[in-house]
Each structure stands twice: as C-alpha cells, then as structure tokens.
Amino acid sequence: MIKFQDFSFQYREGVAPVLRDITLAIPDGCFCGITGAAGSGKSTLTYAINGIIPHCYPGDFYGNVTVEGLDTVEASLTDLSALVGSVCQDIDSQMVSTVVEDEILYGLENFGVPKEEIPGRVHGALEAMGIVELLSRPIESLSGGQKQKVALASIIALQPKVLVLDEPTAELDPASSEAVFRLLARYARENGTTVVVVEQKIALLSEYADLLVIVDDGRIRFADAPEAVLAHSDELLALGVNCPRSTTLVNRLKAAGLYSGPAVRNVAAAVDVCREVLARAGA
Ligand SMILES: Nc1ncnc2c1ncn2[C@@H]1O[C@H](COP(=O)(O)OP(=O)(O)O)[C@@H](O)[C@H]1O
Ligand SMILES: [Mg+2]
C-alpha cells in the first residue's frame, strides 16, 4: 500500500507549494495512472514515492507518505530503492551501459543479487518485456520503443514491489506505447506489482488503470475507477485533460437522456452503447 496523508510539498527554490493536501491510498497490486496538465505536479507526486523528494530535491514536506509502511522521509534512499523501482522521464540519462545485457546486469550487481540468480533474472526481465533477442545489442542501435523496454527490463530484473514510471511513452508512437502498457500490465498482474504511471495519453491510461488520478494545480481533483472519472469529461477538459472522443460522445448521449450506463473507456464500448441507443430508438 502507498499512502499519502495530508501531504504538501514546496521545493526549496519555490515560492508556493506545488502539491497541496494530498490524501490518497494506492492498494497493493493496483495499476494507478496519473494524468493532468503540464506543471500540475505529477512528477513531484512520483518523487514523493521514490524518495527523490525530499532526499534529492529538498523542500518543505508536510504530512506523510508511506510505501509498504516505510515513511519515505525517514527511510534511506537505499532502503526505498529496494522497494520502489523508477524509470524517469529521460531514459537516455538513466542508461549507464552501451550494451543491453550490461544495462540489466548493472542494477543486479549493484543490488548484490546472488550470482546464481543473475542469469534467470536477466532472462526473465527480457522475456517479460518481449525483448529476449536484444540481449547483445548496442543500446545506441535501438529504437525509442526498444530502449523504453530495456529501461523497464533493467528495473523489473530487480523485482521491486512498486514500479514508478514517469511518462514512459512520451517519445513513442501509438503502437509502441500500447505495447509497453500491455507488457507492463501483464507483468504487474502476474507478479502482484503495484504500478504508478504518469501518462498524457488518457485513452491508454484508462484502458489499463484500476485507479485513475487527475492532478490539477497541485491538488488531486479525481481519484477513482476510470469509468467514474471519465464520466466528468467536461470538467476534465476544463482542467486540460482531453478525454477520448468515444468517451465524450457517450457522455453526451447520457446528458441527452439517451443512455444511463457508465462512461466508456474505448471505441469498442462506445460502439456497443451506440448500437443499444439506436436499437431502442428503432423499437
Ligand atoms: N526541482 C525543482 N525545483 C523547483 N521547482 C520545481 C522542481 N521540479 C518541478 N518544479 C516545479 O513544480 C511544479 C510541478 O512540476 P512537476 O511535478 O514537474 O509537474 P508535471 O510533472 O505535472 O509537469 C512546476 O511549477 C515546476 O516548475
Ligand atoms: Mg512531469
């Protein structure tokens, strides 16, 4: 469980808090998606989980944040990093090796994973990300999507209980973005890993998330199942969050009194709703 209790934070150089009155619980094994306008505080929220604040970026930290009962202010970064694996926004800056295999080995060796476990961990992580064939490839020869999968594999190899990913698909085309989310969700489900992912593509996020969090100007405006959040497409638009067109269409049908079910996350569900509405209109 990740728990934020009355949490506020102001960077030391800042003139005002960038996060205010955050209370949020993310259950074990949850796939939690965070979205919101640029500068709303999404990355800072993830820094409170992996300890980057206040350990690397100091400031005024109010309330508390715990991961599996570990207080992220009191715990050391070493203890936190054994629990929380992070992939930052700029993966190139995170890569330390020139070859894929070395990149995965680097973390395993640093964390003191027993030698006999290492080959299995490397293979398992590459397999989870569907990139076994990239083992010996130079990192500079990889596409953006492949690099993102390598970055994820190097963290997954460490088997953290919590994965924190900040805009993992920002540089990727729609097909690679979908692939990264699909692999990630399957891995998390099979291993009971909690995932916290910041993502601009709300359609993608809504498809995979159990819990969808909308951050606006340092506050949490919504934290609920995707269908419950997507029902507020007009309010979301005012916060700079553009819902999928299929969601907006179904919400309009609902506002017009033609449909009374939950909001939809994707085109297929919207098509079902439209069929139902048309069948009723024809009856
Ligand atoms: N290291 C830092 N020092 C001071 N201010 C920061 C720092 N990092 C981010 N900020 C400020 O905090 C606010 C929220 O930033 P951030 O969490 O990166 O938002 P998002 O990820 O939603 O774009 C912004 O106004 C940003 O300028
Ligand atoms: Mg950010």
Side-chain angles (χ1 to χ4, degrees):
M1 170 89 87
I2 301 169
K3 267 178 102 165
F4 293 81
Q5 191 66 48
D6 301 319
F7 164 65
S8 297
F9 183 77
Q10 176 169 339
Y11 286 102
R12 186 172 281 168
E13 302 77 23
V15 291
V18 298
L19 290 172
R20 278 169 289 181
D21 307 325
I22 305 287
T23 293
L24 175 71
I26 304 173
D28 286 346
C30 178
F31 195 112
C32 171
I34 300 173
T35 195
S40 56
K42 305 179 297 293
S43 294
T44 308
L45 200 56
T46 66
Y47 298 162
I49 300 172
N50 56 25
I52 290 182
I53 62 168
H55 297 277
C56 303
Y57 298 140
D60 295 328
F61 192 114
Y62 302 98
N64 58 55
V65 180
T66 56
V67 182
E68 303 275 321
L70 208 62
D71 184 300
T72 64
V73 175
E74 286 165 12
S76 69
L77 270 182
T78 312
D79 287 345
L80 270 174
S81 59
L83 202 56
V84 183
S86 306
V87 178
C88 63
Q89 222 164 328
D90 177 8
I91 47 168
D92 284 326
S93 73
Q94 184 160 345
M95 299 272 185
V96 292
S97 312
T98 51
V99 174
V100 171
E101 183 175 19
D102 295 343
E103 183 66 28
I104 315 252
L105 287 173
Y106 178 83
L108 290 169
E109 285 165 358
N110 264 324
F111 273 76
V113 172
K115 260 200 162 64
E116 61 277 12
E117 270 188 43
I118 288 183
R121 294 265 203 123
V122 172
H123 186 79
L126 291 173
E127 199 165 46
M129 288 295 113
I131 51 168
V132 174
E133 73 287 358
L134 299 184
L135 182 72
S136 311
R137 284 275 294 276
I139 286 175
E140 62 173 20
S141 73
L142 305 179
S143 69
Q146 289 171 326
K147 264 193 211 168
Q148 189 59 251
K149 287 176 193 166
V150 171
L152 280 166
S154 65
I155 299 299
I156 280 174
L158 305 173
Q159 302 177 346
K161 293 196 87 167
V162 177
L163 273 170
V164 172
L165 314 166
D166 197 354
E167 306 207 19
T169 74
E171 310 284 324
L172 308 186
D173 59 54
S176 310
S177 303
E178 175 80 38
V180 165
F181 265 70
R182 196 175 51 244
L183 291 162
L184 188 63
R186 191 182 66 186
Y187 168 81
R189 203 171 43 243
E190 287 173 356
N191 294 276
T193 310
T194 308
V195 176
V196 180
V197 56
V198 175
E199 175 61 58
Q200 298 284 352
K201 301 178 183 99
I202 189 168
L204 192 59
L205 208 52
S206 311
E207 191 71 34
Y208 288 94
D210 305 307
L211 175 65
L212 182 57
V213 175
I214 311 289
V215 183
D216 172 52
D217 194 20
R219 295 178 192 273
I220 290 183
R221 294 292 285 264
F222 295 98
D224 211 332
E227 284 90 349
V229 176
L230 294 175
H232 302 272
S233 50
D234 289 344
E235 280 166 77
L236 292 174
L237 190 59
L239 304 180
V241 176
N242 214 342
C243 284
R245 275 181 292 181
S246 49
T247 302
T248 311
L249 169 70
V250 169
N251 288 350
R252 293 213 177 119
L253 290 172
K254 192 164 180 173
L258 294 167
Y259 167 73
S260 58
V264 301
R265 312 189 199 197
N266 54 37
V267 174
V271 168
D272 288 345
V273 170
C274 291
R275 284 219 175 94
E276 185 191 314
V277 168
L278 288 170
R280 226 178 304 117

